Amino acid sequence: MKNLYNNKTIISFEVFPPKKTTSIENIYNTLHEMKDLSPDYISVTFGAGGSSNNNLTVDIASRIKNKYNIESVAHLPGMHLTKEDVLKLLDDFKEHNINNILALRGDPNPLVEVKNDFKYASDLVSFIKENGDFNIIAACYPEKHIEAKSIEEDIENLKIKVDAGTDQLITQLFLDNNDFYSFIDKTNKANIKVPIQAGIMPVTNKIQTERMVSMCGAKLPTKFVKVLDKYGDNPLAMRDAGIAYAIDQIVDLIAQGVDGIHLYTMNNAYIAKQIYGAVINML
Ligand code: FAD
């Protein structure tokens, strides 16, 4: 299966299935707006342990691919799944013409039993490789994964995941591009050769910042804290400042030769449009 790069800087969007209280029509409308931007692909998250409505991941990824003719990527966290579960999902993906999988370990859902078939994402990558012809994507962490003792140890583990059959990588969000450049240097030294897309999340409100720091341990650079202090209590100003901050990061990343940008859109087509429109001529 070929990867999603055509010797150019790619840009992709990430969306998530609606929470059980939200109508599926909302995400359909969002996709309808996003499709006109023609990103290189759109990926759809999958809540580990059923924290979101997982069959919707296939439904939404299928709509992206088969209705809008845009490549889609289905996320697949393995820690709460058995080999049998994964085989069924692989069949489902194939049936819906979904050729790209973001293989993940996931984070434990305390209400759901952890299965032991896929302890690390690398176990899932090897299993997918053995059981189908998929383009396999995996996650990586410029500021290290929150559980890793050091960035060096995390990169050693990343090398195992890449050698297991990962075709391309997407980073966790980061707010200081220097963290990304330093990470790229280290992956080069570790002989990790697959393309690495920079994950960018436009931070457009204060609550999102608090969540982000507690969930993935992202560092808040002084430049960003100043933006938050100045505009955090003014929702419209904070939205626009968050968009401007993300554009600023992306312009610099493209100029430095990044392989691609993966935009965590938070299902917000307006934000995706503003950012895409600002950088499209630079790709
Ligand atoms: P792994 O690669 O398995 O790494 C997890 C930890 O184990 C790291 O500390 C690593 O250093 C260590 N490790 C790895 N291999 C070994 C080894 N062989 N020996 C010892 N230690 C090892 N979660 C979801 O539930 N659904 C989603 O849709 C989703 N989408 C995501 C998309 C992106 C782009 C990113 C960056 C994350 C996403 N996540 C998602 C979150 C992800 O599941 C968590 O970050 C999770 O904690 C780690 O997943 P991983 O696949 O990176 O794990």
Side-chain angles (χ1 to χ4, degrees), residues 170-231:
I170 302 177
T171 75
Q172 179 62 279
L173 65 96
F174 56 89
L175 292 164
D176 182 345
N177 286 2
N178 288 325
D179 290 326
F180 178 81
Y181 301 134
S182 148
F183 174 72
I184 293 294
D185 277 351
K186 293 190 171 84
T187 56
N188 283 336
K189 285 188 185 125
N191 214 17
I192 291 172
K193 304 269 191 211
V194 295
I196 302 180
Q197 249 180 293
I200 297 293
M201 180 180 283
V203 184
T204 54
N205 64 66
K206 252 186 174 171
I207 297 163
Q208 197 188 343
T209 316
E210 283 149 20
R211 240 186 123 235
M212 201 174 76
V213 173
S214 74
M215 282 186 67
C216 65
K219 209 170 58 208
L220 302 182
T222 313
K223 183 177 164 184
F224 178 79
V225 173
K226 286 199 185 296
V227 170
L228 201 63
D229 286 348
K230 184 144 178 87
Y231 307 113

Side-chain angles (χ1 to χ4, degrees), residues 46 76-93 115-118 123-124 127-128 130-131:
F46 184 132
L76 182 57
M79 75 185 318
H80 291 292
L81 301 175
T82 62
K83 288 184 176 173
E84 205 181 13
D85 297 330
V86 170
L87 285 176
K88 277 198 205 120
L89 281 160
L90 297 185
D91 281 347
D92 243 15
F93 295 158
K115 302 283 179 1
N116 293 317
D117 284 357
F118 305 107
D123 304 322
L124 181 61
F127 187 76
I128 297 171
E130 281 161 22
N131 288 286

Side-chain angles (χ1 to χ4, degrees), residues 59-79:
D59 176 290
I60 296 165
S62 171
R63 177 172 278 246
I64 293 164
K65 177 73 191 258
N66 301 307
K67 182 171 163 86
Y68 296 133
N69 213 15
I70 294 172
E71 266 316 312
S72 65
V73 172
H75 294 210
L76 182 57
M79 75 185 318

Side-chain angles (χ1 to χ4, degrees), residues 14-15 43-49 51 74-77 79 102-108 119-123 137-141 144-150 153-158 160-161 170-173 199 215-216 262 264:
E14 180 171 309
V15 297
S43 82
V44 187
T45 67
F46 184 132
S51 57
H75 294 210
L76 182 57
M79 75 185 318
L102 175 43
L104 298 147
R105 183 197 71 179
D107 288 314
K119 185 168 183 202
Y120 298 114
S122 53
D123 304 322
I137 308 169
C140 60
Y141 302 83
K144 85 172 184 59
H145 183 258
I146 203 156
E147 293 161 28
K149 287 198 197 78
S150 65
E153 178 194 276
D154 206 26
I155 288 180
E156 275 170 34
N157 293 330
L158 180 63
I160 297 173
K161 186 156 70 172
I170 302 177
T171 75
Q172 179 62 279
L173 65 96
M215 282 186 67
C216 65
H262 183 68
Y264 296 103

